[in-house]
Amino acid sequence: MSKQHVSTIVNGDPVEFLADPGMTLLDALRDELDLTGSKEGCGSGDCGACSVILDGRLVCSCLVLAPEAEGRRVETIEGLAHGSELHPLQQKFLEHAALQCGFCTPGLLMASKALLDVNPDPTESEARYWLAGNLCRCTGYDKIIRAVMDAAAELRQERV
Amino acid sequence: MAHVIAPSDCRQFTGGLAEFDVEADTVRRLISAMEARFPGLGDYVDRRMAIAIDGEIHQDAWSSPIGPDSEIYLIPKIGGG
Amino acid sequence: MSDVLDRPDIGHNAGDDLKVVGTRPIRPDGADKVTGRAAFGADFNMPGQLVGKVLRSPHAHARIVSIDAKKARALPGVKAIVTGADFPNLADEFHEGGEAASNLRDLAMNVMARDKALYDGHAVAAVAATSSAVADEALALITVVYEVLPHVQEVEAAMAQDAPLLHGRMFTEGLEARPDKPSNIAKRNRIARGDLDAGFAAADVIVEGRYTTQAVHQGYIEPHACVASWAADGQCSVWSSSQGQFMVRTYCAKVLGLEISNIRVTPAEIGGGFGGKTTVYLEPLALALSRQSGHPVKMVMTRDEVFRATGPTSGSVMYVRLGAKTDGTITAADVELKYQAGAFPGSPVGAGSMTALACYHIPNFRITGWDVVTNTPKVAAYRAPGAPISAFAVECAVDDLALKLGMDPIALREKNAVRDGMKASYGPTFQNIGYVETLEAIKTSPHYQIPLGPNQGRGVAVGFWFNVGGESTAALHVGEDGTAVVVTGNPDIGGSRASMAMMAAEALGIGVEKVRPIVADTASIGFSMLTGGSRTTFATGMAVVQAAEKVVAELKRRAALIWEVSADHVAWREGVAHCLDPAKTDKPPLSLEAIAAQSARTGGPISAQVSLNAQGAGPGFAAHICDVEIDPETGGVTVLRYTAAQDVGKAIHPAYVEGQIQGGVAQGVGWALNEEYIFDRDGKMENAGFLDYRVPVASDLPMIDAIMVEVPNPRHPFGAKGVGEVPIVPPLAAVANAVRAATGVRMCDLPLSPPKIRAVLDAKEG
Amino acid sequence: MSQLDYLAPATADEAVKALGGAGARAMAGGTDLLVQLRAGRAKPNVIVDLKRIAGAVGIRQEAGAFIIGAATSGAAIGEHAALVKAWPGVVEATNLIGSTQVQGRATLAGNLCNASPAADSVPAMIAARAVCVIIGPGGRREAPVEAICTAPGRTSLAPGEFVLEIRLPARPARASDAYLRLIPRTEMDIAVVGAGVSLVLDGAGVITDAQVSLGAVAPTALLVADASLALVGSKLDEAALAKLDAAARDACRPISDKRGTAEYRTKIAGVLARRAAAIAYSRAGGQA
């Protein structure tokens, strides 16, 4: 089993690592690049805790092979804030108490970012369906949806 | 005298007696008194039961005070999720 | 978003000019959690660590004839293999954890099977290897010879005379006479009052039913994970995600025969527990593998393992019979509860029995509970363990009674409600409870007034949980700049660090941003019982407040020293010392910061630690309303609206109290509609993944309105009662009652999945 | 140790060559393959990623037909306005596959070649008379979508062959399609039943052509000829809908499993066929 050399861009920075061909992008992020913000809750694409944005598309990094990332752009939770300034979604999640244990939070934030990138003014129903692939067992989703809607409103304000 | 009400699983020690009076001003003394009167009961209660004193549940609390007319319910210990 | 109903006549210790308690500050661990920095169980590594994996039984019930690991041991990269033979055999020893008290012998055998595998997924061997791939290959090379035995999973089947026996030596406890034959029935419990026959004879109306629920999993998103190191000198270190680092320490010590002082457990951030992380599965295995290999060992469960091998809660069969007068007075109740315990005794049927009728004042009743072992994973605590199950049966029956009597379901519950001074069904007399207030809150809620459309139905249900106190330790250290660190021994699952910091800040009279809360390892803080039973804000909070009070006393002493006055002449108000000595009225007040700056000269560091065993947790009551709409052609259910009112005592951080309520409701809705363990004919779990074990997703739920009723608990410094457990108690029946209202048919078997609903609608059509 | 290689060929010919070896598996989105890999249900020696083949990602139009590259994600399909307008049923079926995250990867070709009886896009594609362009050692061939799956997990593709493109035919005026599925939750489930209906109407609203396909009610997605007959010539009146319902139920040969009983699946097949037909009819401009 020969490892493959992978060059990719993670959160804007070029990185390189060696990957077993069957390694997932999630394992590469966590084990090779020490980016442990993306979580594994199921390993089968059913919980969304490993959500990252790959070339602009929201994906489960557990359903991407690490070598597929060659030459692509990966955005993870570690790149969401601008330096020490939190992204409005991060800030709204905190203000609305939209997390309890916080394990699903990185995935939910990346999924929410992907939503607001394509739909700056989602309805509650659109937000709920978009985020249906991100399981949260603590909150009942109420405060998460409120945080996303509030962040969307703030981002729209910023754009005006 | 405090009035003690024992559930079914304690009655193996009391000869089936469900209620009885005990002279005790703390949980520790209650347990000792129950053990003296019904051998095995004090130890069983100490290990396996919580003690509701006038409606308030006490677990592993030997020093909790018992009033002269307190109502004592022996109930299973409670944990939770 | 939510209303707060205060009852000022009882609010002697809450609401008195509180500056911090009752506000909604941003949680102190928040920034780490939204940036991916928080380190959960699987996010930690030790240098030189190996990967540990578990070989699990593919059979629901089998004798382990032999285990041959020679080939696996010979595989390059394999560093350790352990089986049941590597663990000491323990005698029966009860470790009291409440209703799910565990026999340590059973715990050890659940961690690693000995002579028999008792469920699909039961651990039979574990390996440690240099990589995940090598570990997988090693597992495949271990040959286990099984003698497959007949298995039994349904609770009533397991109770049958001719059922296959899981344990040859189990004789039912709690019967009048000890049985002469072993069985799968571990225990019978009974609670009774009055004269049942007379009660039913006095009834004008009687309803009865048989109800079933399926095993459901806590469904935390973070799989169990740990890293363990057994050093050459016997000093053990464990990093793990659990609800209690001290629990992990105790259980590892017992299972491995170690001294507690040799084990240091560091709590990781925990990615949800809900009771499911109140026991150990991996930690003793990782330590045993580390001992054998001489390397640290990391173990992380797959989701499949989480479902197959860790604690669901019980499936059940229940019978309820209620009698009432035409005016709605309930005269008699007979409740029988049969709960699956899984492979070892310890279902939460005791708590299920005690809570079943706890909301009702009924003169004549009998509650019988059966704890039954089955070839399914050993149940673990799940949020108000046992209570949602029995509440499902009782609340459905009460709903049927309301229908039969032509009474409003809330009015019927009000008529029979327990109130202060009444005896609980489980014995003690209630004090300071806020139950009728929650009924009032839902009755007057906007939700209850909304008219329903076609195929829509509204359900009401109530619930109870005791809440507990117990042992906790808290330390409070004042820094030389006047800020403070509050240290506790309770893992923070749902925001408890925020409430600890808030209570400390309130008691000290400083801003919450000046207090940093820390959850410490087992060597760095005194013993604390695990985070569970809704005890942390109550019991650990009490320790925090007492520590803060001790610090305040010390600060006053230091101020007195600085001012050269008697300590009696120092008052502490809002974080500032005031000099009351009539001879020295010119002394300007001394802030905490100013006193802290002088701490070296005035006696050294200012800190306090309090260890206590908190008693007097106030019970929690909840009343819920659920609206659903049925698709009559498909049997699909949409939850349209949900409102949950709960007596929370005093909400320390209202947003996280609402969050507890909303989360509990969501879990309960999942339990009612779609979640269940499904086993095939061979007793293997068929849906061990989030695809087919269907927890609610965001689009399945509406907003969940949380109404916080505040009837303070006089035993807590700010009036807090536990809030995490009770919200999961009413939803099963609230949903089922709404479905009954929408369909006109009572369905008694959870989950209320579309095929079942379509089938009853077809049957109704004739 | 098991050997596994990952290849990402740039041309179809290279892909054919790579897939010629024993134990090679083509990967489009990978959302099924990676789950199977992890569960040990698939043990390929080589994974051949189709995403870097020129033309494998993207949608183009030729004489009114849509040609969808094998590795085009569901998300991209959902964003293609002309495709959404012409084939709303195929697009909605595609977009029902998994979560938003899965949509970022999952493909029509992958959904088809995974050969699950419950694949959402397959009944919609069959109803649409979609055709696969297949490349293999023997060159290029075309096959209707319904000819691909032969049994659960099995396809008619020969060793070394893979689906390069899927073609959806040009649409006449007053034509549309719809897909509905039943799942216990609102999202994230495998279809218990799926129904795709494609209709063409004349100026008077009479159905002149109908294709009805059902998923998850037989080992492979069904093309229900009797259901088409029930609809053609009607204005989707009650009688036609009742005939459609009956024809759909008659065609079912479902199993009972953890996701639904045979009896329930059969009933729901009729319900969904009716509902999908009503949606397609309305989309095509018909007034019921």
Side-chain angles (χ1 to χ4, degrees), chain D:
Chain D
M1 300 288 296
S2 57
Q3 295 288 326
L4 178 66
D5 259 328
Y6 166 84
L7 298 172
T11 67
D13 287 348
E14 285 173 49
V16 169
K17 203 175 294 172
L19 284 167
R25 271 287 291 267
M27 178 175 83
T31 52
D32 286 312
L33 179 60
L34 263 68
V35 175
Q36 293 164 11
L37 269 182
R38 181 178 168 107
R41 280 182 280 130
K43 292 178 179 170
N45 298 329
V46 185
I47 291 173
V48 181
D49 186 353
L50 306 181
K51 285 190 283 293
R52 300 204 188 224
I53 297 174
V57 175
I59 300 164
R60 62 183 200 278
Q61 282 177 266
E62 281 177 13
F66 291 87
I67 294 125
I68 302 169
T72 310
S73 71
I77 288 170
E79 288 163 4
H80 196 285
L83 181 62
V84 171
K85 187 155 182 285
W87 291 104
V90 172
V91 174
E92 70 196 352
T94 308
N95 289 164
L96 283 172
I97 303 166
S99 59
T100 312
Q101 287 84 341
V102 168
Q103 282 295 307
R105 304 270 294 162
T107 67
L108 283 177
N111 197 223
L112 174 63
C113 296
N114 185 53
S116 160
D120 282 306
S121 70
V122 178
M125 286 196 286
I126 291 175
R129 293 199 175 89
V131 171
C132 297
V133 176
I134 298 161
I135 303 280
R140 184 187 177 96
R141 68 182 176 97
E142 296 194 356
V145 163
E146 59 267 33
I148 300 298
C149 300
T150 56
R154 299 241 175 118
T155 70
S156 57
L157 295 178
E161 283 191 328
F162 68 95
V163 174
L164 180 68
E165 292 168 351
I166 288 171
R167 284 168 190 270
L168 293 168
R171 285 303 247 172
R174 298 178 70 80
S176 197
D177 66 337
Y179 174 80
L180 289 174
R181 69 168 180 189
L182 185 121
I183 54 172
R185 290 181 290 190
T186 53
E187 260 289 359
M188 299 304 290
D189 286 333
I190 303 292
V192 178
V193 179
V197 177
S198 175
L199 300 175
V200 181
L201 316 186
D202 68 12
V206 175
I207 297 170
T208 58
D209 182 34
Q211 285 270 96
V212 177
S213 177
L214 298 172
V217 293
T220 61
L222 298 175
L223 176 59
V224 187
D226 285 349
S228 306
L229 293 176
L231 298 177
V232 171
S234 81
K235 288 180 156 183
L236 205 68
D237 49 69
E238 284 302 317
L241 285 169
K243 274 200 272 180
L244 169 65
D245 190 320
R249 282 186 280 116
D250 282 349
C252 292
R253 288 173 279 125
I255 55 166
S256 289
D257 68 3
K258 63 191 170 190
R259 291 172 186 149
T261 61
E263 186 193 5
Y264 180 70
R265 287 191 150 114
T266 303
K267 285 178 194 165
I268 298 305
V271 172
L272 295 190
R274 270 193 282 117
R275 291 182 180 182
I279 296 168
Y281 189 74
S282 161
R283 283 177 179 165
Q287 287 174 350

Side-chain angles (χ1 to χ4, degrees), chain C residues 210-552:
Chain C
R210 176 185 188 269
Y211 306 85
T212 65
T213 67
Q214 299 302 314
V216 297
H217 198 272
Q218 295 81 353
Y220 34 82
I221 312 298
E222 181 201 28
H224 297 257
C226 70
V227 186
S229 164
W230 187 310
D233 59 0
Q235 298 282 308
C236 298
S237 305
V238 179
W239 161 280
S240 82
S241 162
S242 81
Q243 287 177 242
Q245 59 272 45
F246 292 93
M247 172 278 295
V248 171
R249 186 179 71 169
T250 301
Y251 285 168
C252 286
K254 293 289 185 183
V255 170
L256 295 162
L258 290 168
E259 287 182 351
I260 274 183
S261 65
N262 279 340
I263 308 174
R264 179 178 184 182
V265 182
T266 304
E269 293 292 344
I270 169 173
F274 315 110
K277 291 178 183 167
T278 58
T279 188
V280 292
Y281 300 99
L282 295 178
E283 291 87 346
L285 302 182
L287 278 172
L289 289 167
S290 178
R291 171 173 53 184
Q292 196 182 98
S293 65
H295 296 271
V297 174
K298 180 171 183 174
M299 300 184 82
V300 181
M301 280 196 194
T302 62
R303 179 54 53 183
D304 175 88
E305 289 181 289
V306 173
F307 276 116
R308 286 169 64 212
T310 74
T313 192
S314 309
S316 71
V317 176
M318 299 174 283
Y319 299 85
V320 178
R321 188 162 183 252
L322 299 177
K325 295 285 208 186
T326 47
D327 71 352
T329 305
I330 299 175
T331 57
D334 192 6
V335 178
E336 185 174 24
L337 310 171
K338 301 171 178 178
Y339 282 18
Q340 282 175 332
F344 300 97
S347 80
V349 74
S353 303
M354 290 160 72
T355 56
L357 298 173
C359 294
Y360 298 94
H361 181 68
I362 302 176
N364 310 291
F365 66 83
R366 178 178 67 185
I367 306 164
T368 310
W370 302 92
D371 181 27
V372 183
V373 295
T374 51
N375 290 116
T376 53
K378 164 76 174 80
V379 301
Y382 181 20
R383 214 165 190 161
I389 302 170
S390 59
F392 166 64
V394 169
E395 290 302 294
C396 285
V398 170
D399 196 62
D400 285 347
L401 191 59
L403 192 71
K404 209 160 177 176
L405 291 165
M407 274 182 86
D408 173 84
I410 299 177
L412 176 61
R413 287 173 172 86
E414 278 179 325
K415 180 148 191 88
N416 295 283
V418 288
R419 293 156 200 268
D420 281 358
M422 288 180 177
K423 273 194 194 326
S425 57
Y426 59 90
T429 305
F430 281 126
Q431 296 168 5
N432 306 309
I433 61 171
Y435 173 45
V436 291
E437 288 83 348
T438 65
L439 288 172
E440 180 68 20
I442 58 165
K443 190 169 70 179
T444 57
S445 68
H447 179 167
Y448 205 58
Q449 327 308 325
I450 297 172
L452 294 169
N455 297 315
Q456 297 183 352
R458 175 166 295 151
V460 168
V462 298
F464 164 84
W465 184 252
F466 315 89
N467 296 324
V468 298
E471 294 170 87
S472 282
T473 302
L476 207 155
H477 308 292
V478 176
E480 58 269 35
D481 63 353
T483 61
V485 175
V486 59
V487 187
T488 71
N490 282 104
D492 174 359
I493 306 188
S496 60
R497 266 169 295 195
S499 60
M500 296 306 131
M502 290 170 75
M503 286 186 276
E506 189 74 59
L508 291 171
I510 61 177
V512 68
E513 71 287 350
K514 302 280 188 201
V515 182
R516 181 172 176 82
I518 296 293
V519 180
D521 68 77
T522 56
S524 306
I525 186 72
F527 179 84
S528 298
M529 286 165 64
L530 51 73
T531 298
S534 294
R535 63 174 291 278
T536 302
T537 299
F538 174 73
T540 308
M542 206 183 269
V544 166
V545 171
Q546 288 185 15
E549 285 166 351
K550 282 172 87 169
V551 163
V552 167

Side-chain angles (χ1 to χ4, degrees), chain C residues 137 634 692 695 699-700 762, chain D residues 1 185-186 259 264 267:
Chain C
E137 207 172 341
T634 65
D692 285 309
V695 307
S699 48
D700 291 341
D762 286 349
Chain D
M1 300 288 296
R185 290 181 290 190
T186 53
R259 291 172 186 149
Y264 180 70
K267 285 178 194 165

